[in-house]
Amino acid sequence: MTRIGTVALNTFREAVRDRVLYNLVFFALVMMAAAILVGQISIGIEQIVIVSLGLSAISIIGLLISVFIGVGLVSKEIDKRTLYALLAKPLRRWEFILGKFAGLVLTLTVNTAAMAAGLFLALFYVKRSLEQADTVVLIAVYFILLKLALVVALAMLFSCFTTPLLAILFTAGLYIAGLFVHEMRGLQGGLIDPMLGRLLRWISYLLPNFENFDVMGAAAHGRVIPGALIAQNTAYAVVYCAIVLAVAMAIFSQRNLK
Amino acid sequence: MTELAIDIENLTKDYPYGFLHLKKRRSLESLTMQVQAGEVFGFLGPNGAGKSTTIKLLMRLIFPTAGSARILGKPISDIEMHRDIGYLPEQPYFYDYLTAAELLDYFARFHDFTAAERRERVQRMLKKVGLESAGRIQLRKYSKGMLQRVGLAQAILHDPAVVVLDEPMSGLDPVGRREVRDIILELKKQGKTVLFSTHILSDAEMLCDRVGVIVGGKLQGVGAPSELVGVKAQGMEILFELPADAASGGELLAQATRTGDRYRLQVEESGLYTAMERLGAAGAKILSVTQVKPSLEEYFMHLVEADRAQSAAVEVRAK
């Protein structure tokens, strides 16, 4: 456990030193501009605009970090051969994978938390107050974080057996496909061949369901998010990440380094 | 019976290649070799001979096609074995966003040292490799030679019983090479086992108790450098000067090689005194007489040439 933590903390330090968290400046500028603009032109829809914009920015920035840095977590270490000296230490390959995953998730958590704080500041600026109903925005941010963890796990899995470019394409492709899981399940009866319909249905259950993590509409309108959905999404993300990481660890444990 | 530090048995490695990875190139063929505890063992071979492949197999960076190896009695798949080994990769590259002190501290954490122990060890190692004043500089600003020193420091940081160094002299200036040689000799004095690969034969001759020569993925010979090259003198070499007013040295002078004002003449051991008398009579000033022994380099080149000839013969037969 200590060894996983050591790798995780170093991964976080790498992200900080490589100025990954500089995106926060960009986010802060967007939120400040939006808050000032919305304060001047909107009538009664400040919350909708600010929350939608803020959550979208958190999601997009997080996705970019998850995919591009997630893919590089393993492949960069192999390409630059920084892994050689590390794996000669008493560190198992699966511990390395888990440590890297935990390190990037920690980075994303810090990044997302800082952006969420910025979002609440902008919300406070336009509404002049915060209500208990605004906690739903926090749940939406939590769901984004779960989604990002899943994307990191997928990016790491692909980077364990293919080139960085293909790993980026596979991860992005799977993310986009995962946004249309419900539509895939709906393509039944009459519209397409029944066999193809069944096949798509099976595939849709294998794909990561990213639609479930999207509660932006509910958060923007201050609607209540049921506790059951929070538990379900948490369990889903944990189990899916565990499976993906287990496969990644199994592949990486057998991989010949260059 | 001497304890074995490294015991390699029939280690073989094939690398797949081609679009579907269906073809295979053999990089290492049935390597069987032992390194005794406490000895400095040089692993010699030209580029691409299989030295780094062997070391990577021992470090479990790649996996063997066949065969097995044990370090300090433990199979190389046993992660606990890594507590007692230190490894310097060839042309090492480390996290360039860290300083040397941070990198060493990071690696020390995998060996369960306390914070105080880590601090003390890191400082001691930086001093040992001559980087005490550069310890707080990020590695991205380091030269190749400085990175090599950091690599050496991380390899011996945890006081391992077995140290494996892949081309440790590579990229170092003469001062750096001397320092690495001193560190290897110090490790030997401490009773550590050192296995290092090199193609710099003078280093191997100077440092190694035994060497193994690998060419074309096959081990061609193992033994003490003097055993491998043979102890029998090939002849005698006379170093002499010939004053300007000296009489002609005749045919002997014609056989000698001139370097500046000095001449070197190689003669049979039985003909030494005759040659010296004739040179003396010609007015030559004899400076030294030394035995000529075959060098490790000659032995090495002989093996490389033999391997090339065999490969060429195989190609001709294939055609």
Side-chain angles (χ1 to χ4, degrees):
Chain A
M1 205 63 194
T2 320
R3 295 191 287 247
I4 296 170
T6 301
V7 176
L9 285 176
N10 194 53
T11 306
F12 178 70
R13 180 159 56 176
E14 180 179 4
V16 173
R17 298 232 174 135
D18 282 349
R19 302 177 180 123
V20 170
L21 300 181
Y22 275 24
N23 70 83
L24 292 172
V25 177
F26 169 75
F27 178 80
L29 289 174
V30 169
M31 290 317 295
M32 276 192 299
I36 294 164
L37 203 66
V38 166
Q40 289 171 355
I41 61 169
S42 62
I43 309 144
I45 56 162
E46 299 93 342
Q47 166 140 354
I48 296 171
V49 175
I50 289 292
V51 170
S52 299
L53 187 72
L55 290 178
S56 299
I58 290 172
S59 180
I60 291 167
I61 292 171
L63 279 171
L64 289 174
I65 295 174
S66 305
V67 174
F68 287 99
I69 297 182
V71 163
L73 284 179
V74 176
S75 61
K76 209 167 85 176
E77 293 248 12
I78 296 173
D79 288 344
K80 290 191 167 183
R81 291 186 292 164
T82 44
L83 197 52
Y84 284 23
L86 187 61
L87 288 183
K89 307 285 179 273
L91 173 73
R92 292 172 181 88
R93 289 192 179 199
W94 66 264
E95 291 173 325
F96 169 78
I97 292 285
L98 271 191
K100 282 283 175 182
F101 173 76
L104 187 52
V105 169
L106 175 65
T107 308
L108 286 165
T109 305
V110 171
N111 200 50
T112 307
M115 287 194 284
L119 170 58
F120 274 98
L121 271 177
L123 208 53
F124 181 77
Y125 176 80
V126 293
K127 285 172 46 176
R128 304 289 166 201
S129 68
L130 288 175
E131 300 147 23
Q132 198 172 355
D134 292 328
T135 50
V136 75
V137 176
L138 272 182
I139 297 168
V141 170
Y142 171 63
F143 281 2
I144 289 174
L145 200 54
L146 291 179
K147 176 177 78 175
L148 297 180
L150 234 168
V151 173
V152 172
L154 290 169
M156 286 185 74
L157 167 65
F158 291 128
S159 71
C160 281
F161 65 85
T162 187
T163 62
L165 181 64
L166 283 178
I168 288 171
L169 290 176
F170 289 159
T171 310
L174 214 51
Y175 175 73
I176 293 166
L179 291 174
F180 297 98
V181 163
H182 289 301
E183 282 76 1
M184 282 173 77
R185 286 174 198 162
L187 284 173
Q188 303 282 330
L191 282 171
I192 53 168
D193 180 72
M195 271 293 284
L196 184 63
R198 273 199 296 278
L199 182 69
L200 281 175
R201 196 170 177 78
W202 289 336
I203 292 173
S204 74
Y205 283 110
L206 289 177
L207 287 174
N209 186 349
F210 287 114
E211 272 187 291
N212 280 352
F213 296 106
D214 183 10
V215 288
M216 208 181 290
H221 290 92
R223 288 199 297 268
V224 175
I225 294 173
L229 184 64
I230 300 173
Q232 179 197 312
N233 278 356
T234 305
Y236 181 83
V238 169
V239 171
Y240 209 105
C241 278
I243 293 169
V244 172
L245 287 173
V247 177
M249 289 187 282
I251 293 171
F252 189 64
S253 294
Q254 299 300 316
R255 179 166 176 178
N256 283 304
L257 303 181
K258 285 190 293 182
Chain B
M1 197 176 122
T2 322
E3 194 189 339
L4 288 181
I6 301 173
D7 186 10
I8 300 171
E9 252 183 72
N10 289 316
L11 213 52
T12 300
K13 179 66 186 172
D14 291 337
Y15 283 107
Y17 69 99
F19 183 67
L20 292 173
H21 283 205
L22 295 176
K23 297 174 185 171
K24 282 177 181 168
R25 182 177 59 81
R26 183 147 289 185
S27 178
L28 193 66
E29 184 156 344
S30 299
L31 175 72
T32 298
M33 188 176 89
Q34 283 84 33
V35 178
Q36 312 290 340
E39 78 175 346
V40 176
F41 190 95
F43 204 30
L44 310 181
N47 291 335
K51 304 186 297 289
S52 289
T53 298
T54 306
I55 289 177
K56 282 181 194 168
L57 285 165
L58 291 176
M59 294 299 119
R60 298 287 285 176
L61 298 174
I62 54 176
F63 300 98
T65 306
S68 63
R70 300 173 80 84
I71 296 182
L72 298 169
K74 291 176 186 154
I76 50 173
S77 55
D78 183 351
I79 196 73
E80 290 307 311
M81 176 270 289
H82 289 256
R83 292 194 181 282
D84 295 320
I85 58 168
Y87 167 54
L88 167 71
E90 186 184 7
Q91 295 174 345
Y93 189 88
F94 301 108
Y95 305 106
D96 59 7
Y97 54 87
L98 296 180
T99 66
E102 285 171 341
L103 182 86
L104 295 182
D105 180 76
Y106 175 53
F107 284 149
R109 284 170 189 263
F110 294 104
H111 292 283
D112 306 329
F113 295 126
T114 63
E117 282 171 339
R118 289 202 308 270
R119 267 195 303 276
E120 185 274 324
R121 276 175 188 267
V122 167
Q123 285 314 312
R124 187 151 48 88
M125 286 304 128
L126 287 172
K127 194 175 175 186
K128 190 185 269 268
V129 297
L131 290 173
E132 207 176 12
S133 58
R136 304 282 160 199
I137 297 172
Q138 278 191 327
L139 296 176
R140 56 173 57 124
K141 291 170 186 160
Y142 271 36
S143 68
K144 199 178 167 195
M146 288 165 87
L147 282 176
Q148 193 79 0
R149 288 163 193 239
V150 175
L152 201 57
Q154 64 81 31
I156 57 176
L157 176 72
H158 52 292
D159 200 22
V162 176
V163 182
V164 179
L165 311 171
D166 198 352
E167 301 283 359
M169 318 289 184
S170 163
L172 293 179
D173 59 19
V175 179
R177 279 176 62 188
R178 172 69 186 266
E179 284 169 0
V180 172
R181 281 204 297 266
D182 289 345
I183 289 173
I184 292 175
L185 289 173
E186 195 186 320
L187 289 169
K188 182 179 164 56
K189 257 188 219 166
Q190 292 168 1
K192 313 286 185 196
T193 307
V194 181
L195 165 69
F196 76 95
S197 72
T198 184
H199 52 254
I200 303 171
L201 301 175
S202 57
D203 289 335
E205 267 184 313
M206 204 179 299
L207 293 168
C208 298
D209 298 308
R210 290 194 309 142
V211 295
V213 183
I214 186 167
V215 183
K218 294 175 197 157
L219 190 67
Q220 306 283 1
V222 182
S226 58
E227 280 172 20
L228 287 180
V229 298
V231 288
K232 194 166 180 272
Q234 283 183 328
M236 306 299 287
E237 187 183 79
I238 307 168
L239 182 68
F240 62 94
E241 281 177 355
L242 203 61
D245 58 343
S248 163
E251 65 183 63
L252 275 182
L253 199 59
Q255 290 167 18
T257 310
R258 184 174 179 174
T259 315
D261 294 338
R262 294 178 172 189
Y263 293 81
R264 283 172 198 280
L265 176 66
Q266 200 169 322
V267 295
E268 293 287 325
E269 206 169 351
S270 55
L272 176 67
Y273 289 105
T274 316
M276 283 176 69
E277 274 173 20
R278 286 171 61 186
L279 286 171
K285 185 182 170 192
I286 310 282
L287 299 172
S288 68
V289 178
T290 48
Q291 272 194 328
V292 180
K293 288 181 184 171
S295 67
L296 194 55
E297 184 176 342
E298 281 165 313
Y299 172 73
F300 181 82
M301 288 312 295
H302 164 73
L303 292 177
V304 172
E305 292 302 330
D307 181 69
R308 280 182 190 156
Q310 196 185 4
S311 303
V314 169
E315 273 178 34
V316 169
R317 276 203 297 276
K319 279 175 189 172

